[in-house]
Amino acid sequence: MNFDRRNFFKTVCVAGATLAVGNSFGAAKPDESNIEFQGVLYDSTRCLGCRACERVCAKNHELPEPKDELKAGVIRKTSEKQRSVINNYVTSKGEVYVKKQCMHCNEPACAAACLTQAMYKTKEGPVVWRGNKCMGCRFCMVSCPFDVPKFEYHSANPKIEKCDMCYDRIKAGKIPACAEACPGDALTFGTRRELIAEARKRIFENPKDYVNQIWGEQVAGGTGWLYLSSTPFNEVGFNTKLQNSSYPELSKGFLYAVPSVFVLLPPLLLGIHEATKNRNQANDEENE
Amino acid sequence: MNKQAQTLAKDNDGGSIFKFILSELRPKGRILTPFNIIAIPIILLGIVLIVIRFINGIGSITNLSQDTPWGLWIGFDVVTGVAFAGGAYVLTFMVYILKMEKYRSIVRVTVLNGFLAYLFYAGALLLDLGRPWNVINPIIGNSFGTSSVLFLVAWHFLLYMIAELIEFSPAIAEWLGTRRARKILSGLTMGAVIFGITLSTLHQSGLGALFLMAKDKIHPLWYSEFIPIMFLVSSIFAGLSMVIFEGSISHKVFFDQISEKNHKAQSGILQGLAKICAGAMFAYFFLQLLVFIHSKNWDLINTPMGYWFLFEMIGFVLVPMLLYLYSYRTRNILLIRLAAILTMVGIILNRLNVSVIGFKWDAPVHYYPSWMEIVVTLTVIFTEILIFRWIINRMPVLRDSPAWVEEEH
Ligand code: SF4
Ligand code: SF4
């Protein structure tokens, strides 16, 4: 086997170029800890269960108006037709209403999973889906720890549906439609820092009304949507086993190893190739 | 090859290649073979189903749901299919890098198999994409999701297919009788091999890394931060077992193509592969054991999923490993084949356990594939086999290269 060294160097150059591109992309990413993300604080003790938020959400995003009834203990899920739901949980403290929608994670697993950046964490805070980029692989659904993204399985032009915190309204200086529509003042829009301070204040002032935890402050590396509750969070449909560190962190180790493999493995293979070539020749000579 | 084709093939670099290809396109041999009688109706049905899927959406023919976004098409076609295609990078490593000349006669057919597997099984991914027209986005670069493992895997599929095509291309040149092209193409082989092995180690493990973020959804007996390494190590014996299995069938079906010398060499090759498989499986079993002990999941063993885990690890890793070892010692070719089949079942189980069965194992409604998903999967597999047969019957893959190749060396 005669081997052309030039080809090999071409290969290495291509690999090098890929790496360079990869690195520059990594560098272009802003340091997320410096940005003030906006979010929403949901206080379940103030929620009346009127579902005004559900209706206004459907109207704003051209989805069918939710008609099913709200029954205590019957848990409805968000779906490709409904981005936000109110449920009535039967808990140790009686019946409690809780709203569910996308958590708008600080470091979203869905966006880290998306190979086209269709899922995207905006600098304002909302995590949005961009149909012109999405190829419908559903890796975001596999990865989201809260099982939020929903897919239109019965469409030839399927979309991923999930809450986008009314990103268009936020850009226009308005607040999310649900927060505006809520008659009980259960939804407060603001920067994450303000919201956490406000939540702490409420817990401090009325310690009897709340469990001493803000759901979303730490879970999954922190989320834009924050929750206050009168009952432990596992009683109102939250998976309290989720990790507190960010989910994209889980695959970072692997991704960081990729460039090293690309740099180290080809020369190693080439080295072995050269070594065995000589050995074989030596063998041949001995045999002759 | 018929007479006319042979004369055409002899005159190299000529303008008659086009005519030659036309004549080669016609089917050779009997049409009504048992395989065709089963495969062709299924393929036709599969095509109808695929049309329905593109008109009415993925949900119209699959059982996928909001809870189970990935089913048989990803879990079996892509994740398992690519593991089975791993034989190509392992063999090219053995033959081109380590110079284990014994295996040279089966490199071509393995690379061809690998290439077709990627083409079809990774191609099956397109059927599963909801918005396949956007598939160019991550390739043309207007939206690079560089933090995505899937981005890496997709790119590697693409590049690896090119590398394998280059590795295989001398066979195409020999078929067409283009001497100059053959010379250039075989000069590229070594670069393609080195590049291909690197890509393979990364995307075999990358397929495992896809599931790293689904930490809370995959059963803890199958989830660990070491999934990528498990997938990589198991792809070695998955690929080689496929080589043993496929080689055993090819030797019967394409008997007349294989030279006397290579027929005699076959049992030696199978024994060598059996030994390597046993070694890789030992390493894999040991890794699984370490991870299990480390994760302290003892209490999970005494549950239905725990029995299922033991069934996979003992019945389809430990047993075939011992079988490989024993059959290697006793030179029992039949047992080697049996071990290969058990190993392959084990790989199917493992990949499905990670990607489908163990995924949301605790959900109230569990996913199982619809008959239509299975038909489409069979369509993909059968079409691949048909193309494989078409190539084997025409190009020097199993049979020796034409005489002029030797002359030039
Ligand atoms: S909750 Fe899920 S969909 Fe929403 S931002 Fe977080 S990872 Fe993405
Ligand atoms: S389905 Fe769309 S948004 Fe989700 S990961 Fe795939 S390309 Fe991204």
Side-chain angles (χ1 to χ4, degrees):
Chain A
M1 163 95 334
N2 52 359
F3 166 59
D4 184 353
R5 227 164 276 252
R6 265 198 355 254
N7 285 318
F8 173 69
F9 285 119
K10 240 187 267 164
T11 316
V12 170
C13 289
V14 171
T18 322
L19 290 179
V21 171
N23 283 346
S24 68
F25 268 92
K29 221 172 151 201
D31 180 8
E32 274 163 10
S33 50
N34 291 337
I35 304 177
E36 278 252 50
F37 289 136
Q38 285 164 309
V40 175
L41 172 66
Y42 171 79
D43 188 336
S44 75
T45 63
R46 298 187 181 185
C47 177
L48 313 169
C50 68
R51 297 164 74 195
C53 50
E54 275 185 14
R55 284 188 294 274
V56 72
C57 176
K59 201 165 134 249
N60 255 277
H61 300 103
E62 283 152 21
L63 293 166
E65 194 186 317
K67 290 248 163 62
D68 52 340
E69 238 177 278
L70 182 58
K71 288 200 206 88
V74 179
I75 306 306
R76 300 137 69 233
K77 289 183 174 171
T78 56
S79 71
E80 73 274 27
K81 296 194 181 75
Q82 195 172 359
R83 293 180 175 189
S84 163
V85 291
I86 294 283
N87 278 316
N88 184 348
Y89 291 87
V90 183
T91 71
S92 52
K93 293 259 171 73
E95 295 181 7
V96 174
Y97 294 109
V98 174
K99 180 179 184 300
K100 292 281 166 65
Q101 73 297 305
C102 173
M103 299 291 288
H104 298 277
C105 309
N106 289 352
E107 292 177 67
C110 59
C114 184
L115 74 173
T116 62
Q117 293 190 328
M119 279 291 181
Y120 180 68
K121 178 84 178 165
T122 60
K123 62 181 192 310
E124 292 88 347
V127 176
V128 297
W129 175 80
R130 304 182 289 187
N132 58 339
K133 294 185 185 287
C134 171
M135 57 190 232
C137 67
R138 308 191 292 286
F139 190 29
C140 48
M141 301 171 70
V142 170
S143 303
C144 167
F146 302 97
D147 280 331
V148 167
K150 298 282 144 70
F151 181 76
E152 292 179 334
Y153 283 103
H154 292 279
S155 159
N157 182 6
K159 293 194 287 290
I160 294 277
E161 281 291 349
K162 74 166 201 66
C163 159
D164 65 352
M165 218 197 267
C166 293
Y167 185 49
D168 288 336
R169 290 174 58 98
I170 290 180
K171 272 191 298 187
K174 291 188 268 187
I175 70 171
C178 54
E180 192 180 78
C182 181
D185 214 9
L187 292 159
T188 318
F189 179 76
T191 69
R192 231 183 140 247
R193 203 161 41 92
E194 291 163 7
L195 295 177
I196 289 176
E198 167 67 20
R200 288 240 172 78
K201 197 176 111 219
R202 287 189 204 171
I203 296 176
F204 179 75
E205 285 171 357
N206 306 294
K208 271 195 240 99
D209 292 351
Y210 298 102
V211 288
N212 189 7
Q213 184 188 5
I214 308 166
W215 179 256
E217 189 184 3
Q218 272 150 2
V219 70
T223 62
W225 216 281
L226 301 158
Y227 284 81
L228 282 176
S229 163
S230 55
T231 59
F233 284 98
N234 58 351
E235 290 183 20
V236 285
F238 287 104
N239 181 358
T240 41
K241 291 202 194 85
L242 296 184
Q243 63 175 27
N244 278 345
S245 49
S246 98
Y247 276 77
E249 209 63 56
L250 291 170
S251 54
K252 260 191 195 145
F254 174 78
L255 287 167
Y256 285 167
V258 171
S260 343
V261 174
F262 247 114
V263 172
L264 297 177
L265 195 54
L268 182 72
L269 293 173
L270 189 65
I272 304 177
H273 164 73
E274 293 291 333
T276 53
K277 191 159 79 184
N278 294 337
R279 196 190 63 196
N280 271 15
Q281 268 163 5
N283 282 349
D284 286 350
E285 275 155 26
E286 266 167 40
N287 291 344
E288 270 162 17
Chain B
M1 233 189 269
N2 56 35
K3 273 241 178 66
Q4 186 209 3
Q6 215 137 28
T7 39
L8 283 171
K10 258 192 220 136
D11 98 48
N12 51 355
D13 300 325
S16 49
I17 284 181
F18 187 63
K19 244 198 275 166
F20 170 67
I21 293 178
L22 270 186
S23 80
E24 289 277 81
L25 275 181
R26 254 177 266 131
K28 291 181 174 182
R30 284 191 308 137
I31 304 257
L32 289 179
T33 57
F35 175 77
N36 286 359
I37 290 173
I38 300 172
I40 288 174
I42 291 189
I43 292 178
L44 293 177
L45 179 60
I47 292 173
V48 174
L49 292 174
I50 291 170
V51 171
I52 295 177
R53 169 250 172 277
F54 277 104
I55 296 173
N56 291 334
I58 294 175
S60 60
I61 67 166
T62 68
N63 278 351
L64 295 176
S65 66
Q66 306 298 354
D67 273 333
T68 319
W70 285 355
L72 186 74
W73 291 352
I74 299 286
F76 183 76
D77 299 18
V78 180
V79 178
T80 314
V82 166
F84 284 149
Y89 86 92
V90 181
L91 265 188
T92 52
F93 176 70
M94 285 158 56
V95 172
Y96 291 108
I97 307 289
L98 297 181
K99 308 287 178 344
M100 299 161 84
E101 291 299 327
K102 182 162 119 188
Y103 303 100
R104 191 172 282 270
S105 64
I106 56 167
V107 164
R108 252 191 200 174
V109 65
T110 309
V111 169
L112 172 65
N113 242 317
F115 173 70
L116 290 179
Y118 277 89
L119 195 64
F120 280 86
Y121 304 151
L125 202 77
L126 286 184
L127 300 178
D128 200 67
L129 291 184
R131 308 164 67 84
W133 52 91
N134 276 341
V135 72
I136 44 154
N137 276 346
I139 296 167
I140 57 174
N142 63 350
S143 15
F144 271 180
T146 43
S147 63
S148 167
V149 179
L150 192 59
F151 176 79
L152 181 107
V153 169
W155 260 98
H156 281 200
F157 276 1
L158 201 75
L159 294 176
Y160 187 56
M161 276 190 327
I162 297 171
E164 282 196 312
L165 189 61
I166 294 175
E167 288 168 26
F168 184 71
S169 60
I172 303 177
E174 286 166 19
W175 168 59
L176 296 173
T178 50
R179 297 184 184 205
R180 216 156 0 115
R182 185 194 176 278
K183 205 155 178 208
I184 299 169
L185 289 171
S186 48
L188 296 173
T189 302
M190 204 59 212
V193 164
I194 290 181
F195 195 44
I197 295 170
T198 311
L199 288 170
S200 290
T201 41
L202 286 173
H203 70 241
Q204 291 286 358
S205 49
L207 278 179
L210 287 181
F211 297 97
L212 287 177
M213 280 199 282
K215 185 181 171 206
D216 312 291
K217 305 186 195 179
I218 296 172
H219 192 280
L221 284 172
W222 282 275
Y223 182 92
S224 78
E225 58 194 299
F226 301 106
I227 302 183
I229 294 173
M230 299 291 184
F231 269 44
L232 177 64
V233 176
S234 55
S235 76
I236 297 173
F237 56 82
L240 291 184
S241 296
M242 185 61 163
V243 170
I244 295 175
F245 177 73
E246 174 273 328
S248 302
I249 293 176
S250 288
H251 260 250
K252 297 225 166 61
V253 178
F254 303 108
F255 187 82
D256 49 337
Q257 297 240 357
I258 300 166
S259 72
E260 190 65 29
K261 185 175 126 242
N262 286 346
H263 262 302
K264 290 225 178 81
Q266 206 219 1
S267 60
I269 290 178
L270 291 191
Q271 281 168 33
L273 294 178
K275 193 170 96 180
I276 299 168
C277 281
M281 289 174 89
F282 179 76
Y284 175 72
F285 190 76
F286 191 67
L287 275 175
Q288 286 279 12
L289 200 68
L290 277 186
V291 168
F292 174 72
I293 293 170
H294 182 76
S295 64
K296 303 200 183 70
N297 281 329
W298 293 104
D299 47 328
L300 289 174
I301 282 293
N302 202 6
T303 62
M305 282 310 260
Y307 305 146
W308 183 238
F309 181 72
L310 289 180
F311 180 67
E312 179 198 322
M313 286 304 151
I314 295 175
F316 295 94
V317 182
L318 195 62
V319 168
M321 178 188 99
L322 295 174
L323 212 55
Y324 266 134
L325 217 74
Y326 177 75
S327 53
Y328 161 71
R329 290 256 162 88
T330 57
R331 296 160 189 265
N332 188 333
I333 301 297
L334 206 71
L335 278 188
I336 292 183
R337 291 187 180 139
L338 180 67
I341 291 172
L342 286 184
T343 308
M344 288 166 63
V345 174
I347 290 294
I348 297 175
L349 279 183
N350 176 260
R351 296 303 193 264
L352 289 183
N353 278 337
V354 172
S355 61
V356 179
I357 300 172
F359 189 87
K360 298 251 183 90
W361 82 101
D362 50 356
V365 197
H366 214 94
Y367 163 87
Y368 56 90
S370 72
W371 66 267
M372 294 177 280
E373 284 175 83
I374 297 173
V375 168
V376 170
T377 297
L378 288 176
T379 301
V380 172
I381 296 174
F382 286 158
T383 319
E384 193 228 344
I385 295 176
L386 283 180
I387 305 257
F388 179 73
R389 196 177 62 182
W390 186 90
I391 295 176
I392 295 281
N393 279 332
R394 282 161 185 78
M395 300 182 194
V397 179
L398 287 172
R399 70 166 169 272
D400 292 336
S401 299
W404 57 263
V405 175
E406 274 300 309
E407 284 159 26
E408 280 184 9
H409 271 275

